[in-house]
Amino acid sequence: MAHGFRFVVAVLCAAATAFPVGAQDVADAQAPEAAGAGVVFGSLSPAADAALASKAAGDPVFSENWMVAAANPLAAEAGADVLRAGGTAADAMVAVQAVLGLVEPQSSGLGGGAFLVWYDAATKEVTTLDGRETAPLAARPTLFQDKDGAPLQFFDAVVGGLSVGTPGTPALMAEAHARWGRADWPLLFGDAIALAEEGFTVSPRLASLVAGDAERLSRFGPTAAYFLPGGVPLEAGDLLRNPAYGQTLRSLAAHGPATFYTGEIAHDIVSAVRTAAGNPGVLDLIDLAIYEVKERAPVCVPYRGADVCGMGPPSSGALSVGQILGMLEPYDLAGLGPDAPEAWRLFGDASRLAFADRGRFIADSDFVPVPTQGLVAPAYLQARSALLDSNTALEAVTPGAPEFDHALNWADDESLELPSTSHVSIVDTYGNALSMTTTIENAFGSRLMVRGFLLNNELTDFSFRTHADGAPIANRVAPGKRPRSSMAPTIVLRDGAPVLVVGSPGGSRIIPYVAKTIVAHLDWGLDPQAAVALPHLVNRFGTYDLEVGTAAAALEEPLVDLGYEVNIRALTSGLHAIALGEQLQGGADPRREGIALGE
Ligand code: GLU
């Protein structure tokens, strides 16, 4: 059933890497780097070159013992070095994150936050850690409103100090290492320090994003000096050194996260935020000093006999992915296959129903009551699923009434998330699995750079408005609160053992990207490379987004006939998936620069 579509996907992926493409959005949606791209990433190991070639051919990478999939070959190599030496997935994550902050600085780093899902082979338990940024204690619900109470324009809020939340990533790295690491902490920074001090090759994606954001990057001295040396944007292939970042990593390696949260680095972060020209923020030393990673209860939802486990509030990721899958469960997606408009009607409307609930109910559950159990309760999902029993697109989609013991009188959320972010999937030789989505929010975050890394703009994931129609919005700003996220690091288990590790960047489209990849693997039997490469069809709020330049665009007419408004556009996910079976199989999103590596 799926073969025609799968074939087209493989051909498109191969074609995208072989021919230069014209339109910018097409370029953005497709692999920006050529196959066997040792040239564009500098000198890579033969395994990394082979992994790039596999990706270009549409094939998964196979391995016996361990695997790491990350958004840049240099970062995947750093993780592979740790895993090869007997490190755990938590150890490898530290090394991967340290390199990602250097080579993919626009997406994640020490100045950002992350969510991590861990499967422990010894205890067979899933643990989720919340390393999300917090709003400063001095933040007020009107943080992103002008003096008349009107919401700021998005980029007026993003660029500068106002949007910067207390970073969580360094604390999360240390917490994961303390819980599950085996390697010596300082050794995990070796690759990143060497690359920072000796230089790394600027990737095509980094160069094109710098060129596209040059005006904003030029506003702050240290940021401009790094990304636009002499006023000229970095180019792909440039050798770039970041000695300030090397020094920061040396400090982190030697002294642990205290150097970041209470030492000189903390002072520099606070100073950059509070003195940001034109848009100073309110972050203070106390916010860094009291920052803590929170362990949260994992959210697990059954689907096709498996358990799909991920990150609960303040992320909407696992709840919304779980709702989509839970609503689809009664329908025969396997029988329909990925070519059938009917499959996408069901998927798109399930997603719209999930997004309606997400906008109404999900926020930081330490600050507002969230009906976490109610949103994925079987009876509730069954009732929502019954709404899909139709022959046409749903005309109106409204939030449901999940069971809850608190009175709920929320208004629908308003917050905009534009894609940057990175996802890391790792399986180690002991059988542990790690899924982490990591971000500084917008590409290049707040554009403020301190000691070689960028500060996030995560606070703009809050709703800028506090109320709508007289009711409060759950995801409004509050001191110490964590902004709602869409990040959906996921581990799928069958009979208690992991079968798929997956996640993606992509703003709120993360949710349908991840849900679709799970459907592609579990219902349509696609291997992880084919599953991540499968063209995207995304519906969150009514309009159906179809991925430009792919077979998805062929579904335009049937979807219009079903009653959807359709928009053909770039859909730049960054999915990284590892399937666990007799062997490990890895897939890296052809829309970005990453690879899966294993032995
Ligand atoms: N800041 C977003 C979130 O936490 C992620 C942004 C992205 O994926 O690009 O949901």
Side-chain angles (χ1 to χ4, degrees):
M1 75 221 146
H3 303 295
F5 196 63
R6 229 181 300 177
F7 175 73
V8 174
V9 175
V11 169
L12 279 167
C13 292
T17 54
F19 302 108
V21 279
Q24 177 54 39
D25 55 355
V26 177
D28 194 38
Q30 303 289 1
E33 73 276 19
V39 189
V40 290
F41 293 108
S43 153
L44 293 179
S45 63
D49 275 331
L52 281 166
S54 282
K55 182 172 85 164
D59 295 329
V61 168
F62 293 90
S63 77
E64 301 296 328
N65 300 311
W66 52 260
M67 187 165 279
V68 49
N72 180 288
L74 297 167
E77 281 186 330
D81 288 346
V82 172
L83 294 165
R84 190 179 296 116
T88 66
D91 294 322
M93 175 278 286
V94 174
V96 170
Q97 179 65 75
V99 175
L100 283 176
L102 177 71
V103 301
E104 199 199 28
Q106 70 275 14
S107 295
S108 76
L110 300 179
F115 293 112
L116 187 154
V117 184
W118 174 263
Y119 168 82
D120 197 280
T123 63
K124 310 211 178 308
E125 275 174 18
V126 174
T127 303
T128 60
L129 295 182
D130 166 356
R132 185 71 162 168
E133 298 89 334
T134 56
L137 294 179
R140 294 294 173 264
T142 51
L143 187 73
F144 295 121
Q145 296 177 7
D146 67 17
K147 58 182 182 349
D148 302 320
L152 298 179
Q153 293 296 312
F154 184 69
F155 277 106
D156 291 346
V158 165
V159 179
L162 205 60
S163 63
V164 180
T166 321
T169 300
L172 182 69
M173 292 159 79
E175 180 71 26
H177 177 262
R179 288 180 183 231
W180 305 301
R182 289 183 178 217
D184 284 346
W185 169 260
L187 299 182
L188 299 173
F189 296 89
D191 284 5
I193 291 171
L195 286 165
E197 293 178 348
E198 289 158 26
F200 68 96
T201 306
V202 172
S203 78
R205 183 167 172 79
L206 172 55
S208 79
L209 289 170
V210 169
D213 201 57
E215 190 281 316
R216 291 188 194 106
L217 293 171
S218 71
R219 291 193 208 169
F220 304 104
T223 319
Y226 185 67
F227 292 106
L228 312 162
V232 181
L234 293 171
E235 281 183 28
D238 285 354
L239 185 74
L240 184 60
R241 292 189 179 83
N242 189 341
Y245 185 65
Q247 197 48 48
T248 297
L249 292 180
R250 284 184 184 279
S251 218
L252 196 56
H255 307 298
T259 188
F260 186 95
Y261 287 95
T262 54
E264 283 178 13
I265 301 175
H267 276 91
D268 285 3
I269 292 172
V270 168
S271 158
V273 167
R274 296 182 84 96
T275 63
N279 198 13
V282 295
L283 188 75
D284 210 339
L285 289 173
I286 183 72
D287 298 304
L288 285 130
I290 63 171
Y291 184 82
E292 54 182 23
V293 171
K294 296 194 177 186
E295 180 177 339
R296 309 272 185 188
V299 168
C300 294
V301 176
Y303 185 65
R304 309 291 183 221
D307 286 303
V308 179
C309 293
M311 192 72 225
S315 188
S316 57
L319 283 173
S320 301
V321 168
Q323 282 200 313
I324 294 171
L325 297 175
M327 284 184 257
L328 292 173
E329 175 93 41
Y331 298 94
D332 181 14
L333 293 183
L336 289 168
D339 296 333
E342 173 66 0
W344 297 106
R345 180 189 69 76
L346 291 163
F347 186 85
D349 278 352
S351 175
R352 290 168 68 199
L353 289 164
F355 270 84
D357 277 358
R358 171 183 176 274
R360 176 72 57 96
F361 300 117
I362 306 178
D364 184 345
S365 50
D366 289 348
F367 285 76
V368 292
V370 177
T372 303
Q373 306 297 332
L375 285 167
V376 290
Y380 178 65
L381 288 178
Q382 217 174 7
R384 296 289 273 172
S385 177
L387 300 173
L388 301 175
D389 189 8
S390 162
N391 295 319
T392 55
L394 292 176
E395 266 175 36
V397 167
T398 51
E403 195 172 311
F404 199 44
D405 55 3
H406 290 66
L408 286 174
N409 182 23
W410 299 125
D412 294 342
D413 169 79
E414 292 178 19
S415 72
L416 186 62
E417 294 156 55
L418 298 177
S420 64
T421 309
S422 207
H423 182 80
V424 184
S425 294
I426 307 178
V427 175
D428 67 26
T429 189
Y430 313 102
N432 303 306
L434 177 151
S435 187
M436 178 176 83
T437 313
T438 174
T439 187
I440 56 170
E441 214 304 284
N442 197 242
F444 305 101
S446 65
R447 279 69 173 176
L448 290 175
M449 200 166 188
V450 176
R451 291 181 177 250
F453 60 89
L454 286 160
L455 296 178
N456 70 83
N457 68 298
E458 215 69 52
L459 302 185
T460 59
D461 273 0
F462 282 117
S463 173
F464 288 18
R465 289 183 199 273
T466 56
H467 291 72
D469 304 326
I473 292 172
N475 184 35
R476 66 190 179 278
V477 183
K481 189 174 173 183
R482 300 175 186 219
R484 187 197 60 203
S485 172
S486 301
M487 294 194 287
T490 304
I491 298 182
V492 181
L493 301 118
R494 199 179 282 285
D495 302 324
V499 292
L500 185 69
V501 183
V502 63
S504 180
S508 63
R509 290 191 181 88
I510 289 171
I511 290 161
Y513 291 156
V514 170
K516 190 202 72 175
T517 306
I518 293 169
V519 167
H521 186 61
L522 295 188
D523 290 279
W524 298 330
L526 300 193
D527 68 54
Q529 185 58 44
V532 303
L534 190 69
H536 288 309
L537 297 97
V538 169
N539 198 332
R540 296 166 299 165
F541 308 111
T543 300
Y544 227 127
D545 295 332
L546 310 184
E547 187 173 5
V548 68
T550 72
L555 289 168
E556 178 177 10
E557 215 179 285
L559 289 173
V560 168
D561 290 346
L562 283 168
Y564 294 102
E565 202 174 300
V566 165
N567 181 23
I568 298 188
R569 51 164 295 149
L571 292 167
T572 314
S573 55
L575 289 150
H576 292 118
I578 302 175
L580 298 89
E582 278 174 19
Q583 283 183 303
L584 300 173
Q585 290 186 41
D589 201 317
R591 303 163 187 85
R592 299 212 187 192
E593 296 176 331
I595 53 169
L597 275 181
E599 277 173 16

Short mmCIF file of all heavy atoms in Angstrom, two decimals, residues 107 113 115 132-133 314-316 358 416-422 437-443 457-458 460-461 483-488 504-510 572 592, ligand 1:
data_model
loop_
_atom_site.label_atom_id
_atom_site.label_comp_id
_atom_site.label_asym_id
_atom_site.label_seq_id
_atom_site.Cartn_x
_atom_site.Cartn_y
_atom_site.Cartn_z
N SER A 107 20.41 27.10 17.43
CA SER A 107 19.32 26.22 17.85
C SER A 107 19.29 25.89 19.33
O SER A 107 18.22 25.81 19.93
CB SER A 107 19.38 24.91 17.06
OG SER A 107 19.16 25.15 15.70
N GLY A 113 17.27 25.94 27.21
CA GLY A 113 16.62 24.95 28.07
C GLY A 113 16.31 23.69 27.28
O GLY A 113 16.43 23.68 26.04
N PHE A 115 14.22 19.48 27.51
CA PHE A 115 13.48 18.41 28.20
C PHE A 115 14.11 17.07 27.82
O PHE A 115 14.46 16.86 26.66
CB PHE A 115 12.02 18.38 27.78
CG PHE A 115 11.23 19.59 28.20
CD1 PHE A 115 10.76 20.48 27.25
CD2 PHE A 115 10.94 19.83 29.54
CE1 PHE A 115 10.01 21.59 27.63
CE2 PHE A 115 10.20 20.94 29.92
CZ PHE A 115 9.74 21.82 28.97
N ARG A 132 13.63 23.32 31.61
CA ARG A 132 13.04 24.48 30.93
C ARG A 132 13.48 25.78 31.62
O ARG A 132 13.66 25.80 32.84
CB ARG A 132 11.52 24.35 31.01
CG ARG A 132 10.71 25.40 30.25
CD ARG A 132 10.80 25.22 28.78
NE ARG A 132 9.74 25.90 28.06
CZ ARG A 132 9.75 26.07 26.73
NH1 ARG A 132 10.77 25.60 26.00
NH2 ARG A 132 8.75 26.68 26.12
N GLU A 133 13.59 26.85 30.85
CA GLU A 133 13.91 28.15 31.42
C GLU A 133 12.76 28.63 32.32
O GLU A 133 11.60 28.27 32.10
CB GLU A 133 14.12 29.19 30.32
CG GLU A 133 15.28 28.91 29.39
CD GLU A 133 14.90 28.06 28.19
OE1 GLU A 133 13.92 27.26 28.27
OE2 GLU A 133 15.59 28.17 27.16
N PRO A 314 5.55 21.51 32.01
CA PRO A 314 5.10 22.60 31.17
C PRO A 314 5.18 22.35 29.67
O PRO A 314 4.86 23.27 28.89
CB PRO A 314 6.04 23.75 31.55
CG PRO A 314 7.31 23.07 31.94
CD PRO A 314 6.87 21.80 32.62
N SER A 315 5.60 21.17 29.23
CA SER A 315 5.50 20.93 27.79
C SER A 315 4.12 20.39 27.46
O SER A 315 3.54 19.61 28.23
CB SER A 315 6.56 19.95 27.29
OG SER A 315 6.49 19.94 25.87
N SER A 316 3.63 20.80 26.30
CA SER A 316 2.39 20.22 25.80
C SER A 316 2.70 19.01 24.93
O SER A 316 1.79 18.35 24.43
CB SER A 316 1.62 21.26 24.98
OG SER A 316 2.42 21.75 23.91
N ARG A 358 -4.90 22.01 23.85
CA ARG A 358 -3.59 22.53 24.23
C ARG A 358 -3.67 24.03 24.53
O ARG A 358 -3.16 24.52 25.53
CB ARG A 358 -2.61 22.26 23.09
CG ARG A 358 -1.25 22.90 23.22
CD ARG A 358 -0.48 22.57 21.95
NE ARG A 358 0.82 23.22 21.93
CZ ARG A 358 1.04 24.45 21.49
NH1 ARG A 358 0.03 25.19 21.05
NH2 ARG A 358 2.26 24.95 21.51
N LEU A 416 3.17 32.49 19.97
CA LEU A 416 3.71 32.17 18.65
C LEU A 416 5.04 31.48 18.86
O LEU A 416 5.85 31.95 19.64
CB LEU A 416 3.92 33.50 17.93
CG LEU A 416 4.35 33.50 16.49
CD1 LEU A 416 3.31 32.83 15.62
CD2 LEU A 416 4.54 34.94 16.03
N GLU A 417 5.26 30.36 18.19
CA GLU A 417 6.57 29.73 18.30
C GLU A 417 7.12 29.55 16.90
O GLU A 417 6.50 28.92 16.07
CB GLU A 417 6.45 28.36 18.96
CG GLU A 417 6.00 28.42 20.40
CD GLU A 417 5.35 27.12 20.81
OE1 GLU A 417 5.99 26.07 20.67
OE2 GLU A 417 4.20 27.16 21.23
N LEU A 418 8.25 30.14 16.66
CA LEU A 418 8.88 29.97 15.35
C LEU A 418 10.05 29.01 15.51
O LEU A 418 10.71 28.99 16.53
CB LEU A 418 9.36 31.33 14.84
CG LEU A 418 8.22 32.34 14.62
CD1 LEU A 418 8.78 33.68 14.18
CD2 LEU A 418 7.23 31.82 13.60
N PRO A 419 10.29 28.21 14.48
CA PRO A 419 11.19 27.09 14.67
C PRO A 419 12.69 27.40 14.72
O PRO A 419 13.20 28.11 13.87
CB PRO A 419 10.89 26.18 13.47
CG PRO A 419 10.24 27.05 12.48
CD PRO A 419 9.65 28.21 13.19
N SER A 420 13.34 26.87 15.76
CA SER A 420 14.80 26.66 15.72
C SER A 420 15.00 25.30 16.39
O SER A 420 14.45 24.35 15.92
CB SER A 420 15.54 27.80 16.41
OG SER A 420 15.23 27.85 17.77
N THR A 421 15.75 25.22 17.50
CA THR A 421 15.72 24.01 18.33
C THR A 421 16.42 22.80 17.68
O THR A 421 16.70 22.80 16.49
CB THR A 421 14.26 23.68 18.71
OG1 THR A 421 13.67 24.85 19.26
CG2 THR A 421 14.13 22.58 19.70
N SER A 422 16.70 21.77 18.50
CA SER A 422 17.45 20.60 18.05
C SER A 422 16.98 19.38 18.83
O SER A 422 16.59 19.51 19.99
CB SER A 422 18.94 20.84 18.34
OG SER A 422 19.75 20.13 17.46
N THR A 437 15.01 17.10 23.61
CA THR A 437 14.83 18.23 22.70
C THR A 437 15.34 19.47 23.42
O THR A 437 15.01 19.69 24.59
CB THR A 437 13.37 18.39 22.26
OG1 THR A 437 12.86 17.11 21.87
CG2 THR A 437 13.25 19.34 21.08
N THR A 438 16.16 20.24 22.73
CA THR A 438 16.94 21.29 23.36
C THR A 438 16.86 22.56 22.52
O THR A 438 16.85 22.48 21.29
CB THR A 438 18.40 20.78 23.56
OG1 THR A 438 19.21 21.85 24.05
CG2 THR A 438 19.01 20.23 22.30
N THR A 439 16.79 23.72 23.16
CA THR A 439 16.41 24.92 22.41
C THR A 439 16.94 26.20 23.02
O THR A 439 17.21 26.25 24.22
CB THR A 439 14.86 25.00 22.35
OG1 THR A 439 14.47 26.06 21.48
CG2 THR A 439 14.24 25.23 23.71
N ILE A 440 17.10 27.23 22.18
CA ILE A 440 17.16 28.59 22.70
C ILE A 440 15.96 29.38 22.15
O ILE A 440 15.96 30.60 22.12
CB ILE A 440 18.51 29.30 22.40
CG1 ILE A 440 18.83 29.32 20.90
CG2 ILE A 440 19.63 28.65 23.18
CD1 ILE A 440 20.03 30.22 20.56
N GLU A 441 14.94 28.64 21.67
CA GLU A 441 13.68 29.14 21.12
C GLU A 441 13.85 29.62 19.69
O GLU A 441 14.01 28.81 18.80
CB GLU A 441 13.06 30.22 22.01
CG GLU A 441 11.52 30.21 22.04
CD GLU A 441 10.82 30.32 20.71
OE1 GLU A 441 10.75 31.42 20.12
OE2 GLU A 441 10.28 29.30 20.27
N ASN A 442 13.81 30.91 19.42
CA ASN A 442 13.92 31.40 18.04
C ASN A 442 15.34 31.12 17.53
O ASN A 442 16.25 30.93 18.32
CB ASN A 442 13.63 32.91 18.07
CG ASN A 442 13.31 33.45 16.70
OD1 ASN A 442 14.03 34.30 16.20
ND2 ASN A 442 12.28 32.94 16.05
N ALA A 443 15.53 31.14 16.20
CA ALA A 443 16.90 30.99 15.70
C ALA A 443 17.75 32.14 16.22
O ALA A 443 17.38 33.30 16.07
CB ALA A 443 16.88 30.98 14.18
N ASN A 457 15.46 33.19 24.03
CA ASN A 457 14.30 34.10 24.12
C ASN A 457 13.06 33.28 24.52
O ASN A 457 11.95 33.54 24.06
CB ASN A 457 14.03 34.79 22.77
CG ASN A 457 13.56 33.81 21.70
OD1 ASN A 457 14.30 32.90 21.35
ND2 ASN A 457 12.35 33.97 21.20
N GLU A 458 13.28 32.30 25.41
CA GLU A 458 12.20 31.33 25.68
C GLU A 458 10.94 31.97 26.27
O GLU A 458 9.84 31.43 26.13
CB GLU A 458 12.72 30.24 26.63
CG GLU A 458 12.14 28.87 26.37
CD GLU A 458 12.64 28.30 25.07
OE1 GLU A 458 13.86 28.26 24.85
OE2 GLU A 458 11.80 27.89 24.26
N THR A 460 9.23 34.26 25.31
CA THR A 460 8.18 34.58 24.33
C THR A 460 7.32 33.36 24.01
O THR A 460 6.38 33.47 23.22
CB THR A 460 8.76 35.18 23.03
OG1 THR A 460 9.65 34.23 22.46
CG2 THR A 460 9.45 36.50 23.29
N ASP A 461 7.61 32.21 24.61
CA ASP A 461 6.67 31.08 24.51
C ASP A 461 5.49 31.25 25.46
O ASP A 461 4.53 30.47 25.41
CB ASP A 461 7.37 29.75 24.82
CG ASP A 461 8.02 29.14 23.58
OD1 ASP A 461 7.93 29.74 22.50
OD2 ASP A 461 8.61 28.05 23.70
N PRO A 483 7.59 28.69 30.63
CA PRO A 483 6.66 28.86 29.51
C PRO A 483 6.25 27.51 28.92
O PRO A 483 7.06 26.58 28.87
CB PRO A 483 7.46 29.67 28.48
CG PRO A 483 8.89 29.59 28.91
CD PRO A 483 8.92 29.26 30.36
N ARG A 484 5.01 27.45 28.47
CA ARG A 484 4.56 26.20 27.83
C ARG A 484 5.40 25.92 26.60
O ARG A 484 5.76 26.82 25.85
CB ARG A 484 3.09 26.33 27.42
CG ARG A 484 2.53 25.01 26.91
CD ARG A 484 1.26 25.19 26.14
NE ARG A 484 1.50 26.04 25.00
CZ ARG A 484 0.56 26.74 24.37
NH1 ARG A 484 -0.68 26.68 24.78
NH2 ARG A 484 0.88 27.50 23.34
N SER A 485 5.70 24.67 26.40
CA SER A 485 6.51 24.24 25.26
C SER A 485 5.72 23.28 24.40
O SER A 485 4.70 22.74 24.80
CB SER A 485 7.76 23.53 25.78
OG SER A 485 8.48 22.94 24.72
N SER A 486 6.24 23.06 23.19
CA SER A 486 5.71 22.00 22.32
C SER A 486 6.70 20.86 22.18
O SER A 486 6.44 19.91 21.45
CB SER A 486 5.46 22.55 20.93
OG SER A 486 4.57 23.61 20.99
N MET A 487 7.83 21.00 22.83
CA MET A 487 8.88 20.00 22.61
C MET A 487 8.41 18.64 23.08
O MET A 487 7.82 18.51 24.15
CB MET A 487 10.16 20.44 23.29
CG MET A 487 10.71 21.71 22.65
SD MET A 487 12.41 22.10 23.09
CE MET A 487 12.21 22.64 24.76
N ALA A 488 8.66 17.63 22.27
CA ALA A 488 8.08 16.31 22.51
C ALA A 488 9.13 15.21 22.39
O ALA A 488 9.02 14.31 21.55
CB ALA A 488 6.94 16.07 21.52
N SER A 504 11.78 16.13 17.65
CA SER A 504 12.06 17.07 16.56
C SER A 504 12.01 18.50 17.07
O SER A 504 11.31 18.79 18.04
CB SER A 504 10.99 16.92 15.47
OG SER A 504 11.24 17.83 14.40
N PRO A 505 12.69 19.42 16.40
CA PRO A 505 12.36 20.84 16.53
C PRO A 505 11.18 21.16 15.62
O PRO A 505 10.67 20.29 14.92
CB PRO A 505 13.63 21.53 16.03
CG PRO A 505 14.23 20.57 15.07
CD PRO A 505 13.82 19.18 15.52
N GLY A 506 10.78 22.44 15.63
CA GLY A 506 9.74 22.85 14.69
C GLY A 506 8.63 23.69 15.30
O GLY A 506 7.53 23.74 14.75
N GLY A 507 8.90 24.35 16.44
CA GLY A 507 7.84 25.14 17.07
C GLY A 507 6.68 24.22 17.42
O GLY A 507 6.87 23.04 17.73
N SER A 508 5.46 24.72 17.32
CA SER A 508 4.34 23.86 17.72
C SER A 508 4.08 22.76 16.68
O SER A 508 3.35 21.81 16.96
CB SER A 508 3.08 24.68 17.98
OG SER A 508 2.67 25.34 16.82
N ARG A 509 4.70 22.86 15.50
CA ARG A 509 4.58 21.75 14.53
C ARG A 509 5.33 20.51 15.01
O ARG A 509 5.20 19.43 14.43
CB ARG A 509 5.09 22.18 13.16
CG ARG A 509 4.19 23.19 12.47
CD ARG A 509 4.57 23.39 11.01
NE ARG A 509 3.71 24.39 10.39
CZ ARG A 509 3.94 25.71 10.41
NH1 ARG A 509 5.03 26.17 10.99
NH2 ARG A 509 3.10 26.55 9.84
N ILE A 510 6.17 20.66 16.03
CA ILE A 510 6.83 19.49 16.61
C ILE A 510 5.80 18.39 16.89
O ILE A 510 6.05 17.21 16.64
CB ILE A 510 7.52 19.87 17.94
CG1 ILE A 510 8.75 20.75 17.70
CG2 ILE A 510 7.90 18.62 18.74
CD1 ILE A 510 9.35 21.33 18.98
N THR A 572 10.17 22.61 7.99
CA THR A 572 11.54 22.20 8.31
C THR A 572 11.61 21.55 9.69
O THR A 572 12.01 22.17 10.66
CB THR A 572 12.47 23.41 8.25
OG1 THR A 572 12.18 24.13 7.05
CG2 THR A 572 13.92 22.98 8.21
N ARG A 592 17.54 18.71 7.45
CA ARG A 592 18.62 19.39 8.18
C ARG A 592 19.93 18.63 7.99
O ARG A 592 20.02 17.76 7.15
CB ARG A 592 18.25 19.51 9.66
CG ARG A 592 16.99 20.33 9.86
CD ARG A 592 17.00 21.10 11.15
NE ARG A 592 15.70 21.73 11.36
CZ ARG A 592 15.45 22.65 12.28
NH1 ARG A 592 16.41 23.05 13.08
NH2 ARG A 592 14.25 23.16 12.41
N1 GLU B 1 10.46 27.16 21.98
C1 GLU B 1 9.70 26.11 21.40
C2 GLU B 1 9.13 25.21 22.44
O1 GLU B 1 9.67 25.09 23.48
C3 GLU B 1 10.49 25.28 20.47
C4 GLU B 1 10.87 26.06 19.30
C5 GLU B 1 11.25 25.21 18.13
O2 GLU B 1 11.09 24.05 18.07
O3 GLU B 1 11.76 25.76 17.21
O4 GLU B 1 8.15 24.60 22.21
#
